[in-house]
Amino acid sequence: MHEPADNAIIAVRELSIRLGGKTILDRVSFDVRSGESLAIVGPNGAGKTTLLKCLNRILVADSGRVDVAGRPLASYSRKQLARRMSYVPQADTQAVPFTVEQFVLMGRYPYLSPFSPVGRSDREAVREAMALTGTAAFADRLLGTLSGGERQKVFIAAALAQGAPIMLLDEPTTFLDYHHQDEIRELLARTAATTDRTTVSVTHDVNRAALESDRIVALRDGLVVFDGRPEEIMRPDELRRIYASPFLLVAHPDTELPMIVPRATSRGSS
Amino acid sequence: MSRAWILPILLLLAGAVLVAAPFVGMTNVPLSALWGQADDPTVVNILWKIRIPRVLMAFLAGSGLAISGMAFQAMFRNPLATPFTLGVSSGAALGSAVAIHLGVAFTWLGIPAVTTFAFGGAVLTIVLVYGLTRTHRGFSTASMLLAGVALSFFFSSLILFVQYLSDFTQTYRMLRWVMGGLDRVVDFRDVLTVLPFVVAGSLILLYLTHELNLITTGEHLAASRGVEVDRTKKMIFFAASLMVGAVVSICGPIGFVGLMVPHICRLLVGPNHRWLLPATWLFGGTFLTVCDAAARTVMAPIELPVGIITALLGGPFFLWLLLGRSTAGEPL
């Protein structure tokens, strides 16, 4: 059994969950330290998204425990938890009928009481979040009319408006083009620095995870198969163990950190 | 027109319709009948014992059905959801059909047996839908929708079965019940029976306006923002269903109010339930009161079932909405 790290803001211990008769997470244990940026990587179906949902109690695990700021996750009310932790879900195509500003304002829900109108501090938090994310320009547009990149910025703005010290992100850049990927990353790095935030993000992109995270946890078939620093995961044998396929690595010209490059197919090499 | 003006206008409209509607009908009723002065005492009785209760009931039924539809559309994230989607009206119809077939004639607390049986059927449906969809991980709106639709079909075939066993006049009464109408309201007692359900249901939904907004954006997102999703869904389900059950037991299933009024109001005041709920409440009540006044007068002395009027207005409107949305390239 792990001893929790001194500054662990989230401590996950022996977490297991079965969904639809299949074990999705199998005795998962790791810590998230205060102020760090942690990436969760692993092959498709490894349980990454499920793990993120368990951290936020959207899903309740069958066994094991999660402590947030030294308190069991189950002891938080939903509103208390929302003041600690915000969540940016995987891109969802279902239409949401609200304008950008209305949607960001909903991030203030944990601070509102029934019948109460939105207060000045709520307006201020929303204004700030929209300014930081560059979404103020399309405040009055409907969410359904935005491009993928704009939409993602709005979801991050809503999470920022929530004013929580921990942010969970599920594939924040997966469906975006290079330009928007860079924009979103830049935005996340900038806001994390100014708000001293802890970030847990699920991603497919190990290169980006290695460049931008303080630590990486890798899952495979519901088990934690790696927990360490970026330079430790960027080794062919380590990656092969996680993804069960051979990798080609070359040093990044700026940081010397090994990066995965795609193997040339037979057509490309001829 | 600015959205800030819409609510006061709807409020004025509702007030005007509530004041005017009791004076519309076959018999000409002078204003003085209001304080009991008329040449013919029956006119005073028509006003106070028939027209006013009926108008109040129309307003309550319209409001209740409209905000139930609005709440279900938000909870199921489905613009086609109506107050009857979960089978409450089919359960009530089955209850009424059984009462008519058995010829039960008792009245309980002044409420006729058909109404009591209909309400029993509605409550049975609510309990069944809830019981069937509750699991240890909370309850899923998708299974709730399926259970409601399945029960609805099941009850419809039972109704056909009961009708098959019944004689000609009984079958006619059952059919007439299903058409819905406010001609059954003949007393303030009916209004007082429905009032607590509509008032309680409306207040509960008003308490949940923030939650209704968040649930519209998706249950996971709502939970991550601090909404106790399961508890909220339960409250919406019971508040809306009991309201629908009470209204339907007395008025029968009056269609389209619960489907179209929330959509019209979304076009008027936008999707924020803080404004949408009061707008839908006022518009739903006003709309059904006007439709009922039309039902009483259009083919006088014959009175049309109000469900026919609402559907005649609602059907084309709904098609217009559907086509308008699809030509604008928006998914419905």
Side-chain angles (χ1 to χ4, degrees):
Chain A
M1 189 85 148
H2 289 60
E3 279 302 305
D6 290 341
N7 54 350
I9 191 161
I10 304 177
V12 180
R13 290 294 172 275
E14 303 279 315
L15 199 71
S16 297
I17 186 168
R18 289 174 67 81
L19 293 173
K22 188 171 175 283
T23 301
I24 308 293
L25 294 177
D26 191 359
R27 285 163 290 148
V28 166
S29 298
F30 66 96
D31 288 326
V32 183
R33 293 172 195 126
S34 183
E36 85 175 336
S37 164
L38 177 84
I40 299 172
V41 302
N44 287 332
K48 305 185 294 289
T49 295
T50 306
L51 176 58
L52 208 61
K53 287 182 176 167
C54 286
L55 294 186
N56 205 1
R57 222 176 67 205
I58 287 172
L59 287 172
V60 177
D62 298 320
S63 63
R65 66 182 283 163
V66 178
D67 284 348
V68 175
R71 254 175 72 186
L73 187 62
S75 73
Y76 286 86
S77 77
R78 268 273 157 227
K79 279 193 174 180
Q80 285 172 338
L81 195 60
R83 286 183 216 140
R84 289 250 174 222
M85 225 186 247
S86 57
Y87 170 65
V88 178
Q90 227 173 85
D92 170 7
T93 50
Q94 183 145 14
V96 173
F98 295 97
T99 66
V100 168
E101 190 175 12
Q102 285 172 332
F103 184 77
V104 176
L105 198 52
M106 284 186 221
R108 298 301 293 171
Y109 175 78
Y111 306 94
L112 299 177
S113 52
F115 307 117
S116 76
V118 175
R120 185 183 289 173
S121 60
D122 301 311
R123 295 260 172 231
E124 187 53 31
V126 167
R127 202 196 52 76
E128 204 174 302
M130 293 182 69
L132 266 172
T133 49
T135 50
F138 38 90
D140 294 326
R141 274 174 62 191
L142 284 172
L143 220 56
T145 66
L146 302 181
S147 75
E150 290 168 332
R151 194 180 157 89
Q152 195 63 335
K153 282 189 212 168
V154 172
F155 272 72
I156 292 170
L160 285 174
Q162 208 169 312
I166 306 169
M167 190 184 279
L168 310 178
L169 299 118
D170 196 355
E171 305 278 8
T173 57
T174 301
F175 300 104
L176 303 180
D177 61 37
Y178 290 110
H179 168 69
H180 282 102
Q181 285 191 24
D182 283 344
E183 259 192 22
I184 297 288
R185 288 201 182 90
E186 182 59 37
L187 165 67
L188 286 172
R190 197 171 63 230
T191 57
T194 53
T195 55
D196 190 27
R197 200 178 55 227
T198 310
T199 315
V200 181
S201 42
V202 160
T203 179
H204 269 295
D205 192 338
V206 183
N207 280 344
R208 284 294 188 169
L211 283 172
E212 286 150 11
S213 317
D214 302 314
R215 216 154 50 82
I216 296 178
V217 167
L219 293 179
R220 184 181 168 184
D221 299 327
L223 293 159
V224 172
V225 289
F226 176 87
D227 181 349
R229 292 197 309 279
E231 55 273 27
E232 294 167 341
I233 198 173
M234 286 311 212
R235 295 205 308 253
D237 54 331
E238 201 63 68
L239 289 167
R240 188 176 189 137
R241 202 165 61 82
I242 300 167
Y243 287 94
S245 71
F247 281 88
L248 195 61
L249 297 168
V250 296
H252 191 287
D254 297 339
T255 65
E256 297 292 315
L257 191 67
M259 293 277 106
I260 300 169
V261 290
R263 285 176 175 275
T265 59
S266 53
R267 202 179 77 161
S269 59
S270 62
Chain B
M1 185 164 44
S2 154
R3 283 180 181 181
W5 283 100
I6 303 257
L7 274 186
I9 288 173
L10 286 178
L11 190 65
L12 281 178
L13 213 59
V17 164
L18 276 176
V19 170
F23 296 96
V24 175
M26 266 183 294
T27 313
N28 198 10
V29 176
L31 195 61
S32 59
L34 213 48
W35 46 92
Q37 284 181 349
D39 303 335
D40 184 358
T42 49
V43 168
V44 178
N45 277 337
I46 287 176
L47 182 70
W48 278 104
K49 295 222 169 118
I50 299 176
R51 296 252 180 99
I52 291 180
R54 182 167 172 165
V55 163
L56 289 177
M57 181 59 117
F59 198 91
L60 281 178
S63 305
L65 290 175
I67 64 166
S68 303
M70 177 209 76
F72 283 151
Q73 285 163 9
M75 182 163 86
F76 296 120
R77 301 179 76 188
N78 188 334
L80 292 173
T82 77
F84 310 144
T85 300
L86 293 182
V88 175
S89 61
S90 308
L94 179 63
S96 78
V98 168
I100 292 168
H101 178 72
L102 297 178
V104 197
F106 70 89
T107 50
W108 180 64
L109 297 176
I111 302 163
V114 175
T115 303
T116 311
F117 271 61
F119 190 67
V123 170
L124 176 75
T125 315
I126 294 168
V127 171
L128 278 175
V129 168
Y130 181 70
L132 286 170
T133 42
R134 199 177 42 130
T135 67
H136 73 287
R137 285 195 198 281
F139 70 114
S140 116
T141 36
S143 6
M144 182 174 262
L145 209 52
L146 285 174
V149 171
L151 273 178
S152 200
F153 279 116
F154 180 71
F155 287 153
S156 297
S157 15
L158 282 182
I159 293 168
L160 287 178
F161 180 65
V162 175
Q163 282 180 347
Y164 186 74
L165 297 178
S166 303
D167 66 31
F168 202 68
T169 46
Q170 287 176 333
T171 311
Y172 176 76
R173 281 181 66 201
M174 290 173 196
L175 187 67
R176 188 58 197 76
W177 194 93
V178 174
M179 282 182 192
L182 290 142
D183 48 327
R184 300 154 214 181
V185 182
V186 287
D187 206 328
F188 266 110
R189 199 178 286 132
D190 294 322
V191 180
L192 291 178
T193 312
V194 168
L195 188 71
F197 289 96
V198 174
V199 169
S202 305
L203 287 178
I204 290 173
L205 293 179
L206 191 65
Y207 176 81
L208 293 174
T209 48
H210 291 313
E211 286 80 358
L212 282 164
N213 284 340
L214 277 141
I215 289 229
T216 313
T217 69
E219 289 182 15
H220 288 175
L221 204 56
S224 79
R225 302 245 159 94
V227 178
E228 302 278 359
V229 171
D230 255 21
R231 197 182 63 192
T232 305
K233 285 194 298 189
K234 260 182 235 171
M235 285 170 79
I236 295 173
F237 170 68
F238 282 112
S241 299
L242 284 171
M243 200 151 50
V244 173
V247 168
V248 167
S249 304
I250 292 184
C251 306
I254 300 170
F256 279 104
V257 180
L259 175 66
M260 63 179 274
V261 171
H263 283 301
I264 297 178
C265 291
R266 271 186 204 98
L267 295 175
L268 291 175
V269 298
N272 185 349
H273 288 83
R274 213 177 160 72
W275 310 116
L276 181 60
L277 189 143
T280 305
W281 202 91
L282 289 169
F283 196 105
T286 310
F287 175 75
L288 193 58
T289 311
V290 169
C291 285
D292 182 53
R296 279 185 277 142
T297 48
V298 169
M299 285 180 67
I302 300 170
E303 196 173 288
L304 285 175
V306 73
I308 294 179
I309 305 261
T310 55
L312 276 178
L313 290 175
F317 167 79
F318 194 66
L319 284 175
W320 170 73
L321 189 80
L322 202 69
L323 295 174
R325 287 278 186 104
S326 62
T327 48
E330 273 182 59
L332 189 72

